[in-house]
Each structure stands twice: as structure tokens, then as C-alpha cells.
Amino acid sequence: MFQTLTDKFEGIFGRLGRKGRLSEADVNEALKEIRVALLEADVHLSVVRNLRSRIKERAIGDEVHAALNPAQQVVKIVNEELTASLGGETIKITYASRPPTVVLMAGLQGAGKTTSAAKLARWFKAQGRNPLLVGADLQRPAAVEQLRTLGRSIDVPVFSEPSDPIAVAGAAIEEARKTGRDVVIVDTAGRLAIDEALMEEVHRVSDTVEPDYTFLVVDAMTGQDAVNVAEAFHQRLALDGVVLTKLDGDARGGAALSVKEVVGRPIAFAATGEKMEDFELFHPERMASRILGMGDMLTLIEKAEQAYEADEAEEAAARMLEGQFTLDDFLEQMQQLKKMGPLQNLVGMLPGLPKEMRNVDVDDREIARIEAIIRSMTTEERANPKLIDASRRGRISKGSGTNPTQVSGLITQFGEMQKMMKRLGGMGTKKVKTPRKAKRGKAKGKGKGGRVTPKGGTQRRTTTGGGRVTPKGTKAQKSPLMLPGLDRINDDDIENMMDRF
Amino acid sequence: MSDFVQFVTENLIQTLIAVLVVFVVGGGAFIAVRSRGRDLELIDDSPDVDISSRIGDVVADTDVAEPDDEGAAGVDHGDGDTFDDSTAAGAVVELEELVKPSFFERLSKARSAFSGYLGTLVGSGRLGDDDWEALEDALIQADVGVSVAMKLIEDVKATAAQSGAEDGAGVLELLKARMHDELAGKQRDLCLEEGKTNVWLFVGVNGVGKTTTIGKVGRRLVDEGHRPLMAAGDTFRAAAAEQLMMWGERAGTDVVRGSEGGDPASVIFDGVAAAAARGCDVVLGDTAGRLHNKSNLMDELGKVRRVADRDPGHVSEVLLVLDATTGQNGMAQAKVFTEAVNVTGIVLTKLDGSARGGIVFAVESELSIPVKLVGLGEKVGDLVDFDPVAFVDALFD
């Protein structure tokens, strides 16, 4: 799965060398791969067809940009097309001049309507509104109970009564007016798109409450059927947007594209986790790279951003590059890293990492062991690990419940890392980003053009519309650091990894 | 590359350090750079999102909505204690009449809305390239998956060339036969060992219909003269236990529940103990829905299974519930759940909709996990045995 499109394209275009233009035959071959990749991501067949023709039109005869090789050029086009298809107008919530603003949630069973309704209520609350949740799912046992529990957890009142959905919805609007609630979110029962009676029912609920926004809740894992579902619901309810749920799973989420194409309305929100606050406005550019199987660099970067204080991080990075990075700093950084979640997940988000490496079991307990070792050292030892002799090593290993070999192993590796950092730092000026740029150029060495634009970096940003100068390709530049000064890795490996980034 | 791999596996600590370095130097510098130019940033426009909390928190988990039978909402519910029975099994409870749908009947109702795209093919003469592609597309649209579809078509092309059957109807028959073969000869009975307290665990991602399936299975077992007991192992999702208790009522079975947020393994274990004490022969263990890429939650599930298997419990089925609308991700779900808890069978739910559930064909043929049951609606009786022939036929209807 992680053999990404670029890898495949490199296979196709590799033998062609660097031609000035892409020929139709080259592009056709690449298009086959694109079709497979999109279908594997659950993009609907008909949507794939449309996309293919658009991509073909753009790719044939396209001047290969100086900084890109043909494979990257095609990936760039594909990514741009996907982003454009997913994006378009973004939703802008405007509030009804005569409150309440009514939001209707509809969808299949199990898509996540109840949870999303509550998350949306929380979102409105964060915008300074006073939402009211309405339990109009009288079908599923305990659905209203579920909504009440969620409502309590976010401190939003829930209105429901055991009558019928239409009556509940109508009464809820009254209730909202009486109690001064300015947003009403109506949770409805899950229903199959082909169930005439239930589709008629939701239509009547909609007629009763006259929603300002009708959202279709769609599970990101949905397959080809997403198109049928979206069509059927759109016909009945005239959707205003889509809420895409379960994006914290590993589905590539092609359904988002299918639904967007069919409904022609924006994907408004994305549910990205189990907590009430795991709910955000939708980012088309992230989804595009996800569908293409290119990792989620932006999320990763955001995670890093949240876990680290910018100043702190800058300082740590500077110290690291100057070779003044001590075990204490290391410990500190490790804590920060832990905040970002299990290492395994972080590794999984790095795009283009070799499959083999992704599959390595990264055990967070290893981190605990390293921590224990460092914590068992004295302050002096942490600042200057050279102090550590056999007897100190014995003490440390006892203190940390490890053995002396593990202790010396850690120290040796840390030393190597330090050395490498120093080398790296020596290459550039004070500016943190500069040395790495230098390093990248060096490691690459083959003149593919320093600023290559592969998956992770630039091109996605370019598509999001400029303004963003510096950070491009930062990830890419990092890759040599993945290999802390070790000669067992040969240049090809590095080259390989670099290309993937 | 292999050197590299070996290096990585042998040097876990080093890998950790490497990753750390990437984050510290890379992430740090990146952030530094970004924070300087923050005014220019366009990407993050969501003010109140805490993405870092999304991954890796302690065991916590939610099951989104699940489909269900009609019934009143807001019915009273017992709260709190572990042994809280909804109904005494065996007590005379008015059970809803069970109407078993036929596989075909339900499917044909669902299909009529979207059928007909292979109709023209079957009537046509010798197949051209476009026809073959249409056949492949039909498989893809049924969620069989592009690689499996391509492989099947290739095989059938070869067979067709040999046998001389190159007209539409003949080829379609060949294709179906090829798929029937793939699904033939599987053991699809549910395993109940006599004289033991059997445990059937129901696992799956959020919102596939685990709780509903348990309700239906419970009723079916009661009708077959067994004494099932339900254990509300979904202690995470709000009101999941209440939902199961209502199903217990409909099925006429005992339900054992714990407190919300409690340890699911202990609820299942209590269920086993209660079942043994009351002479119930099978415990139907509900579990919270979990996305398979959350390793902490998968570990939790592993623990549930181990604890359930402790004497007097005996885990005889681990049923992965898959939603028919699921696309290619179903394969990943099946793989990871099998690794974690050794799945013994699949329940395919929501097949009464417009989705065809083709991913289970891929799952069954690649992972050899048999599909055992099919959910065809929201009523307590809407659960039937999997019929491979009818299933394959329905993929093309």
C-alpha cells in the first residue's frame, strides 16, 4: 500500500530518462497506475474516469518542470487535480437572521451521526453559540440515551420525546425559541438510501424544521456505494455539505472524492478521533495526498507544532546542530515526542518511508527504557557521558533495570548522533534551516535539483496557494538525519530514501 | 535496501533516536520557520482542534451509531452494577415473531434500484475489450477490489479462450463459477462446544453493527434451544450497554453489564462467570468498536480475548463484523483484527442496502476467513447464514 504513486511512476518513467515532454504513451501507462491507485482508495469508478481524462489532458505535452522529474511532474498534476476536485468552495457557516439556525444530520446506519451531531454542537459552542441537540433517532435502541450522555459531556442540552421524529423535530424548534438556543442540531435515525419509507420520513423531518444546513454523514471507509448513497440523499434532502467521519482510521478515503463529485457541495467537516474535540473543518489538500497514499505530512507537522513550543524547539534544534545537545535535552525532547502519540503512529505518517521500516514494531516501551537509563544518571553524567566508566555503568544499569551493555549501547549511539549533528551543524550558518538545505544538496549530489518537489513538501503547498516560502520540503531535507551517522547504510539507501521524501 | 531494513530491525534504539532527530531538528526548525511566517499560513484554519490528542491516548474508544430494530427510545435502563439482568432467560417473555428473510428476496429488493448494467452484456455475442472491461468494472463497483477483479478477469479470459465460451452469458457463468470455487468448501457453521461455557466475541470497527448483530444472534440461539447470555463489553460508547439490554429483552436473554468506562475484559469475565453459574452455554461478548490502526485498543481487545478464554470460559468464535458498505479498507480491518484476536468468521452486515459487500470476497479468498452470517435488516430476525452462491450472483445483479 505504501508503495506510492511516485515509486510506481519512477518505474514507468525511469527508463525514459529526462525527456522534455511527456508523450501520450508515457502518460497512458502512468494513467493505468493512477486508476489502480484511485480505485484502491475507493474512489468511485465513474469519478476515476473523469479524473483520468482531466489528468491526461494536462499531462500530455506538459513541459517537465526543471526541478521535477517526469514522475514527480505527473504526481504533482494528479495531486492538484485531486485537491481541486475535493476543494472548491469551502463551507462558510452563516447564521439565520431569525434564530435558531437549524442543522439536520442524515446518513446511513453506523456512519457516525449521533457522535458527529454532538461534536458539531461542541464546535458551535466553541464559536460562541448556544446549541440545542435534538434526538430524533427514535429507531435505534438507546440512541437518544447516547445523545444525552454526549450532551452532558459537552454541556449542551438535549431535547427529545418518545413520539415520532417529525413531532420531535417540530417541538424542538419551539423549545429552542423558548429557551433562547440559537443553533439546533437534529440527529436522525440511520437509514438505507433505498428504503423508501424512511427516506420519505427524513424528508418530512426536513420539511418540518426547514434546516439551514443539511449534512450527510459519510464514513471515510465507505466503498463504491458512497456514490449511490450521496445521490439518493441529495435528491431527497438537497444537501449543503458532508461530514466525513472516522478519518482517524487508515482508510484512504476515496469516498470523499466520490461524494464531492456527486453532490457538488463541500465536505464541511472531518471527524478525526473519538473525543468530542476531534472535529475540524475539512482540509482538501490533506485528503488529496491521503487518497494517493502519501502519508499525512501536514497532520504530522501540526502535531509537532502542538507538542513543541516554537521557541523551545528552535533552541533545541540550534543546540543540536551545534553539537551541544546533552542527554538531558534528549530526554526532554523525548517527552515532547511522546506527547504526539505512539511512535508507531508517527512513523506511519511519514510519507514514503520504506514499507519495511513502517512495519518495524516500534515499541514505546523502548522509549521508557531509554528514559530509565538517562534518569539513572547523575546530572554530570548527562552533561558529559564520557564520565561514565564501568562502575558508573553498573550503577546506572541497576538503577534503570537494564544491563550494562544496554547502557553503553545508548551512550555510543548518542555519541554518534551528536557527532553527526555537529557535522551537520558545521555545514551551514546560524539559520537552522540552512544547514539542512546544504546537507540535502550534498546527500543528493546527483543534481536532481535541490528543491525537488516530491510528495511531502512543496507541491502540496503550492497547490494551497503560495505565500509559504520557507518550509517547503523541510521534511525531505530531514531524511539524512534518519540515519544517525552509520556506515552500514550505503549511499543507495540514502538516495532511495531521499527520493521517497 | 535490505541492509537498511536489517539495520533498522536490529537497532531499535537507533531507530528511535533517528525518528526523534527527525522531529527535533526537522520539526523544530520547521516550526521555527513556520512560526515566523505564521501570518502567511493558510493551512490551518480550524481554531479549536487538538490534533495531538487524536492518537495514542489511553484506552478509550467509541462506537458510533449502529443500526437497529424499531423500538422506543429512552426506555429505562438499569445503571451501574455488574450483574444487572434485563430479563431472566427462560421466563416467559413475549418474543416478536421471527420472520426470516430469504437472502435472495432481500437482495433483489435492494438491487432493483441499481441493477441492469450487466444486462446488455449477457445478451451480446462475442466479447470485445470493452465488454471485458465492463465485467471488470462490475466487480470493482461491487467493492471486490481492483487487483482481485483484474486477476479474476484474467483467469476467466484464459478459461474462456480454452473452452470456447466467448459470448456474454457464457463468460459471466465462467466468472461466477470461478468465484463460487473460491468460496466453496468452507466451514461456515458457528462453533458451540458442548459442556462448555462458550464465548463468542464480536469485534469490529465503529458503527458496523456489532451490538445489533449480537441481538439477532442471541434470538437465533434462543430459538435453537440454547441459553445465551449477553455481556456488554462496550464500556466506552455512551449508552452502548443500554442498547444491548434492549436487545436482550427482544431476544429473551440475560445481559451482564459493567459500569461505563470500566474494564471490558472484566465485564466479559463476569459474563462468563454468570453464565457458568446459571448454566448458560454461550456468552455473546460485545466489544467497543475500534479502528484497527489504534494499537492500544487492539491490545485491549487481545486482553479481552485472553481473559474470556480463562476457565470456565472457552472462546469458540471470534466474529469480525464487517459493514457491506466498507470499501478496500475492509481487507486491512480483517488482517489486523485477525492478528490481534484470531478471527474465526465474518458477519457481513447491512447487505440489504445498495452496497454489495464485495470486499468479503477478497477477504475470504486471501485470508481464508469464512463469512458465516449476513445481516439483512433491522429486525431481530434479519440474520441469515451466508450463501456463497447467492452472494456471488448478487454481486452482478
Side-chain angles (χ1 to χ4, degrees), chain A residues 35-36 39-40 42 44-45 49 108-110 112 115 122-123 126 138-142 144-146 149 192 194 221-225 228 246 248-251 272 274-275 278 280-281 283 285-286 298-306 308 310 313-314 320 330 333-334 337 340-343 345 349 354 356-357 360-362 366-367 370 413 416-417 421 432-433 436 461 464-465 467-468 470-471 474-475 478 481-483 486 488-489 493 496-497, chain B residues 1 3-5 7-36 38 40-46 48-57 60-71 73 77 110 113-114 136-137 140-141 143 146 150 205-207 237-239 242-243 246-247 250 260 291-294 297 325-329 332-333 350 352-355 378:
Chain A
R35 172 173 178 270
V36 171
L39 286 173
E40 276 175 354
D42 290 322
H44 191 262
L45 200 60
R49 282 201 200 106
L108 296 182
Q109 293 97 335
T115 308
R122 190 202 154 274
W123 187 87
L138 306 178
Q139 184 107 343
R140 178 165 59 101
V144 175
E145 192 52 41
Q146 181 187 355
T149 310
L192 294 169
I194 54 163
M221 295 179 274
T222 313
Q224 298 282 318
D225 193 44
N228 301 332
K246 304 179 203 173
D248 48 333
D250 60 0
T272 54
E274 302 183 322
K275 292 205 211 60
D278 295 335
E280 52 184 296
L281 289 168
H283 301 290
E285 71 284 353
R286 293 182 194 178
L298 293 170
T299 301
L300 193 63
I301 287 160
E302 245 178 33
K303 270 172 178 300
E305 195 169 46
Q306 280 166 354
Y308 289 90
E314 196 173 359
M320 201 180 233
F330 183 52
Q333 294 308 322
M334 210 137 64
L337 186 64
M340 294 165 60
L343 210 53
N345 293 349
M349 272 188 277
E356 296 81 354
M357 184 154 168
V360 172
D361 246 340
V362 185
E366 282 294 335
I367 295 200
I370 296 171
Q413 283 163 15
E416 275 164 2
M417 183 178 93
M421 294 282 97
V432 213
K433 59 177 202 284
R436 275 176 300 103
R461 294 229 174 63
T464 58
R468 179 108 24 86
T470 12
T474 314
K475 270 298 161 187
K478 269 166 231 158
L481 312 184
M482 301 284 306
L483 325 159
L486 297 168
R488 263 174 288 178
I489 306 157
D493 289 334
N496 236 322
M497 285 201 55
Chain B
M1 189 49 70
D3 287 351
F4 174 67
V5 172
F7 161 77
V8 166
T9 36
E10 282 173 4
N11 296 273
L12 199 50
I13 299 184
Q14 236 137 11
T15 313
L16 289 175
I17 294 176
V19 171
L20 187 68
V21 169
V22 168
F23 277 96
V24 175
V25 177
F30 187 88
I31 291 158
V33 169
R34 275 193 78 183
S35 58
R36 283 189 202 118
R38 188 171 287 276
L40 297 172
E41 298 299 309
L42 295 172
I43 281 181
D44 194 337
D45 47 351
S46 51
D48 55 342
V49 199
D50 177 13
I51 294 189
S52 66
S53 67
R54 137 156 48 132
I55 294 182
D57 281 284
D61 167 276
T62 187
D63 198 346
V64 195
E66 301 203 12
D68 275 284
D69 203 338
E70 70 275 280
H77 53 93
F114 299 103
E136 186 181 305
D137 288 354
I140 291 169
Q141 282 193 287
D143 285 319
V146 59
M150 281 158 73
V205 300
N206 314 62
R237 180 171 59 105
E242 280 78 9
Q243 189 184 347
M246 288 182 204
W247 276 109
R250 285 180 200 165
E260 216 161 86
L291 294 173
H292 53 283
N293 57 339
K294 302 199 168 167
L297 297 180
T325 55
T326 308
Q328 299 311 299
N329 193 244
Q333 292 173 24
K350 309 185 199 173
D352 51 330
S354 45
E378 301 189 317

Side-chain angles (χ1 to χ4, degrees), chain B residues 79-139:
Chain B
D79 33 2
D81 282 318
T82 304
F83 292 96
D84 185 0
D85 303 341
S86 61
T87 358
V92 191
V93 183
E94 286 282 327
L95 290 182
E96 194 184 328
E97 183 79 17
L98 214 59
V99 191
K100 289 234 171 192
S102 96
F103 203 100
F104 259 131
E105 199 183 303
R106 279 305 168 98
L107 289 180
S108 58
K109 181 182 149 216
R111 301 294 180 253
S112 58
F114 299 103
S115 66
Y117 62 112
L118 277 184
T120 48
L121 179 75
V122 177
S124 71
R126 197 171 182 283
L127 295 194
D129 280 352
D130 286 354
D131 300 321
W132 283 107
E133 203 180 303
L135 213 49
E136 186 181 305
D137 288 354
L139 288 168

Side-chain angles (χ1 to χ4, degrees), chain A residues 263-487:
Chain A
V263 178
R265 292 272 184 275
I267 294 165
F269 293 97
T272 54
E274 302 183 322
K275 292 205 211 60
M276 283 292 110
E277 59 271 24
D278 295 335
F279 192 73
E280 52 184 296
L281 289 168
F282 178 73
H283 301 290
E285 71 284 353
R286 293 182 194 178
M287 200 64 214
S289 50
R290 178 177 180 146
I291 289 173
L292 290 174
M294 306 201 300
D296 191 352
M297 281 314 302
L298 293 170
T299 301
L300 193 63
I301 287 160
E302 245 178 33
K303 270 172 178 300
E305 195 169 46
Q306 280 166 354
Y308 289 90
E309 285 301 320
D311 295 349
E312 231 175 76
E314 196 173 359
E315 203 178 301
R319 272 213 306 277
M320 201 180 233
L321 291 172
E322 282 160 30
Q324 292 169 359
F325 198 70
T326 66
L327 278 166
D328 252 335
D329 295 326
F330 183 52
L331 191 63
E332 167 72 17
Q333 294 308 322
M334 210 137 64
Q335 303 302 324
Q336 303 284 357
L337 186 64
K338 273 205 309 201
K339 277 196 225 158
M340 294 165 60
L343 210 53
Q344 185 86 71
N345 293 349
L346 299 180
V347 171
M349 272 188 277
L350 290 169
L353 209 59
K355 186 165 84 202
E356 296 81 354
M357 184 154 168
R358 280 175 195 276
N359 290 345
V360 172
D361 246 340
V362 185
D363 190 346
D364 281 335
R365 273 172 300 195
E366 282 294 335
I367 295 200
R369 186 171 302 152
I370 296 171
E371 273 176 26
I373 295 176
I374 300 177
R375 289 218 160 99
S376 301
M377 296 177 184
T378 65
T379 324
E380 291 80 39
E381 285 165 355
R382 289 184 209 179
N384 182 12
K386 290 201 184 83
L387 282 178
I388 299 170
D389 55 14
S391 121
R392 284 176 188 255
R393 204 157 42 233
R395 192 202 77 240
I396 293 166
S397 66
K398 278 204 192 92
S400 57
T402 54
N403 60 48
T405 329
Q406 283 171 319
V407 175
S408 54
L410 173 68
I411 294 168
T412 321
Q413 283 163 15
F414 183 74
E416 275 164 2
M417 183 178 93
Q418 245 179 344
K419 257 186 262 165
M420 194 193 65
M421 294 282 97
K422 220 184 257 173
R423 269 209 318 268
L424 212 55
M427 284 177 200
T429 52
K430 296 140 276 179
K431 276 234 172 155
V432 213
K433 59 177 202 284
T434 331
R436 275 176 300 103
K437 218 189 280 172
K439 171 72 183 175
R440 168 149 176 91
K442 202 150 202 164
K444 267 272 195 229
K446 301 245 163 104
K448 273 195 186 169
R451 244 358 140 86
V452 186
T453 317
K455 324 155 192 182
T458 326
Q459 99 239 11
R460 197 164 338 148
R461 294 229 174 63
T462 356
T463 57
T464 58
R468 179 108 24 86
V469 216
T470 12
K472 299 183 183 176
T474 314
K475 270 298 161 187
Q477 291 153 16
K478 269 166 231 158
S479 44
L481 312 184
M482 301 284 306
L483 325 159
L486 297 168
D487 35 25

